[in-house]
Amino acid sequence: MRTRTKLMLGGAVALTGLLVGLRLIPAGQAAVAPAPSRQDTARAASPASSAPLPTAATPGAAPAPSPTPTVAEAGVDAEVEALITVMRERYGARLDEPSVQIRLLEELMRYFQRKSPDRWREELLAFLQKAFPERYQELAATLRNREDYEKWVKDNDAYLRGLGEKERRAAMWDARNRLFGKETAERIWASELKNQAIADTLRTLDATEGATVTQKLSAYKQRLQEVHGEQAQAYLARHQQETLNRFLDLSSIQRELTQMPPQERSRNLRTIRQELGLDEEALQRWDALDQTRDARWDAGARYLAERQALAKEHSGAALEARLQEVRARYFGAEADIIAQEEAAGFFRFERPRQWGRN
């Protein structure tokens, strides 16, 4: 009985923590139910046969009060009510959008799979019925489609991995369209479609011969505007670094930047960043970082030249002793880190320089 009592009290403590965390009760009111008295424990532990038999109700007598729910029962109800409040606030006003429905269901799937691994689906559906009764049928159907799609991906994993990128993408879209309907599938995976459109554009730009950095940047910006429409500026603001890196990572852009004189390269890097939405303060920080990186790579090149010369004259402990001096002269406090990298076989300054990236 003591173990059962501890479990019930533990459930009350966990529930209180949840409600405080969700700000549904003030932290100062978080209290645990008092422990049962020794007499209460003794009565609860007595055999069922010792309890008095029920008697017929006396006519006119007041009805017996409803039994008070146990701590565990009250905890479950309060936890569900708290979760309903959170989910309605987070998703309720946007459930016309299929992608929002998917996010809601995936969040609830994670929650109920942790809470009840064997009965999670049954509990999730009961939750949807209580939290969103007017959308229950729609959400339940979306959940079934979501599960069917997940099973299809799992069952066809080996097949999909054996396909090329284009064929794999086509197979996955065929399954999505079949399970959700083409229009709904495109709304659910709208972000993926936009991202893929930009990736295809970058691939085409990278393969375009004769176009300058400026011309490719202009085409990239135009495509961003076409794909994101009225949300283009908001998208750039949220994904500034990602948008910039994807352009700088093009091999053709890196080749052109490598062939430029240092001052022209600096001007081009600044223009790229400015055109993709960075403000003057950010541009100045990048200018300073570029200068720091240039100095480090220059030091790295000189260090590698000295290292190669020393390796021709020394080996073993003698070589390492000389290299410690050279590293300290070029890299100061970072000398030990570079020594550890080289001991592991990594030579950072033998990597290709990625302008604007390292």
Side-chain angles (χ1 to χ4, degrees), residues 1-14 32-33 35-36 41 71-72:
M1 184 61 194
R2 290 181 180 178
T3 301
R4 182 182 176 188
T5 303
K6 289 180 180 179
L7 288 173
M8 292 169 66
L9 290 174
V13 172
V32 179
T41 304
V71 173

Side-chain angles (χ1 to χ4, degrees), residues 29-315:
Q29 295 179 15
V32 179
S37 66
R38 188 171 300 176
Q39 292 84 351
D40 292 337
T41 304
R43 283 196 296 271
S46 62
S49 59
S50 65
L53 294 174
T55 59
T58 304
S66 301
T68 303
T70 65
V71 173
E73 290 169 347
V76 169
D77 290 343
E79 182 174 340
V80 169
E81 293 298 333
L83 187 59
I84 287 173
T85 299
V86 172
M87 293 297 101
R88 282 177 176 168
E89 290 179 354
R90 186 175 299 170
Y91 297 105
R94 299 179 296 138
L95 284 177
D96 286 334
E97 183 54 53
S99 61
V100 176
Q101 293 183 14
I102 291 291
R103 288 200 296 273
L104 164 68
L105 292 170
E106 290 181 342
E107 185 168 349
L108 290 174
M109 287 170 69
R110 289 190 293 271
Y111 172 81
F112 283 106
Q113 285 170 355
R114 288 194 304 267
K115 180 176 177 290
S116 303
D118 297 329
R119 299 180 64 251
W120 70 267
R121 195 176 192 282
E122 178 183 342
E123 293 191 14
L124 192 159
L125 289 171
F127 177 89
L128 292 175
Q129 179 73 71
K130 189 170 185 179
F132 305 102
E134 70 286 355
R135 288 190 175 272
Y136 173 74
Q137 295 298 333
E138 182 181 1
L139 291 170
T142 302
L143 176 63
R144 287 193 299 272
N145 293 337
R146 167 65 175 76
E147 290 182 281
D148 288 345
Y149 178 67
E150 183 177 27
K151 183 178 185 302
W152 180 87
V153 171
K154 182 177 180 180
D155 292 346
N156 291 275
D157 178 64
Y159 166 72
L160 292 170
R161 284 190 286 109
L163 298 176
E165 180 184 354
K166 185 177 180 180
E167 291 77 15
R168 181 168 54 252
R169 197 193 316 171
M172 294 183 72
W173 273 106
D174 179 68
R176 293 168 180 176
N177 294 340
R178 178 164 31 86
L179 290 168
F180 294 91
K182 187 175 187 298
E183 180 181 352
T184 299
E186 289 178 353
R187 291 172 67 183
I188 290 173
W189 283 279
S191 295
E192 181 181 319
L193 284 172
K194 292 177 181 178
N195 187 64
Q196 191 60 54
I198 297 301
D200 291 343
T201 296
L202 287 168
R203 192 178 296 110
T204 299
L205 289 175
D206 202 24
T208 301
E209 298 289 343
T212 65
V213 170
T214 302
Q215 291 169 334
K216 291 182 179 181
L217 176 61
S218 177
Y220 181 41
K221 283 187 61 182
Q222 181 179 348
R223 188 59 173 148
L224 287 169
Q225 183 66 51
E226 292 170 352
V227 169
H228 295 286
E230 296 179 354
Q231 300 300 316
Q233 292 303 316
Y235 175 84
L236 281 175
R238 291 194 309 271
H239 301 88
Q240 209 167 64
Q241 195 61 48
E242 176 191 348
T243 304
L244 175 62
N245 290 345
R246 293 179 77 176
F247 184 74
L248 288 174
D249 284 345
L250 297 181
S251 58
S252 62
I253 298 301
Q254 287 296 321
R255 284 196 304 271
E256 288 198 53
L257 291 172
T258 299
Q259 294 166 4
M260 294 177 183
Q263 289 186 347
E264 183 182 354
R265 180 167 50 244
S266 295
R267 286 195 301 270
N268 273 268
L269 283 170
R270 184 176 240 269
T271 298
I272 292 169
R273 292 162 179 157
Q274 187 174 30
E275 290 295 314
L276 292 177
L278 274 67
D279 59 25
E280 183 60 29
E281 184 178 351
L283 291 172
Q284 291 178 10
R285 290 197 302 269
W286 274 107
D287 289 343
L289 180 58
D290 285 343
Q291 292 173 12
T292 299
R293 286 171 169 173
D294 289 347
R296 285 175 57 79
W297 278 91
D298 288 344
R302 294 195 300 273
Y303 163 71
L304 285 180
E306 286 197 44
R307 193 183 199 287
Q308 291 167 0
L310 289 171
K312 294 177 181 178
E313 301 175 4
H314 306 280
S315 62

